[in-house]
């Protein structure tokens, strides 16, 4: 086999390797694009989920504040009723003396 023949074989081998590498490169590019798309979807979904959780937190805080206001009003009413009861008891005790 001549030197020229050996060189031709090497060139053909390199061409074949280049073609395989190009196919592999295209496959990797496609996979990279798919992963980038999936990552973007996850980011968008995560951002939406975070916003939903923030809104839910704000709603729960608002509900808690309303319940705390109701509790404060009920305590105030209870204190007033206690004072009225104590006044009645004092009157009854005064009448019984």
């Amino acid at each position: 086999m001549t030197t020229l023949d050996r060189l031709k074989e090497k060139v053909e081998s390199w061409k074949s390797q280049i073609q395989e590498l190009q196919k592999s490169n295209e496959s990797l590019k496609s996979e990279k694009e798919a992963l980038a798309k999936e990552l973007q979807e996850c980011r968008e979904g995560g951002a939406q989920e975070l916003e939903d959780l923030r809104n839910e937190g704000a709603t729960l805080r608002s509900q808690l504040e309303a319940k705390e206001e109701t509790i404060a009003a009920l305590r105030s009413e209870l204190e007033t009723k206690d004072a009225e009861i104590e006044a009645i008891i004092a009157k009854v005790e005064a009448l019984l003396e």
Side-chain angles (χ1 to χ4, degrees):
M1 179 175 276
T2 67
T3 305
L4 184 59
D5 290 334
R6 283 190 295 246
L7 286 174
K8 285 181 182 178
E9 282 181 10
K10 283 186 180 183
V11 167
E12 289 302 316
S13 173
W14 290 339
K15 283 182 183 179
S16 176
Q17 288 176 354
I18 288 170
Q19 288 175 348
E20 287 177 25
L21 290 171
Q22 286 174 336
K23 287 179 185 178
S24 177
N25 189 32
E26 290 300 317
S27 175
L28 290 171
K29 281 182 184 178
S30 296
E31 189 175 334
K32 177 188 169 194
E33 289 172 6
L35 289 172
K37 182 179 178 183
E38 185 178 344
L39 177 61
Q40 183 62 30
E41 290 171 356
C42 287
R43 283 182 179 156
E44 290 170 359
Q48 182 60 49
E49 186 175 341
L50 181 59
E51 183 63 27
D52 292 346
L53 288 171
R54 284 183 179 147
N55 290 337
E56 184 179 346
T59 300
L60 290 172
R61 278 189 296 279
S62 176
Q63 290 174 351
L64 178 60
E65 289 173 9
K67 289 186 187 302
E68 287 172 344
E69 289 173 8
T70 300
I71 289 169
L74 289 171
R75 276 192 182 129
S76 177
E77 185 178 333
L78 180 60
E79 289 171 3
T80 302
K81 297 289 184 190
D82 279 345
E84 290 174 2
I85 291 170
E86 286 181 28
I88 291 170
I89 290 172
K91 286 180 184 179
V92 169
E93 287 175 348
L95 289 174
L96 291 175
E97 290 179 0

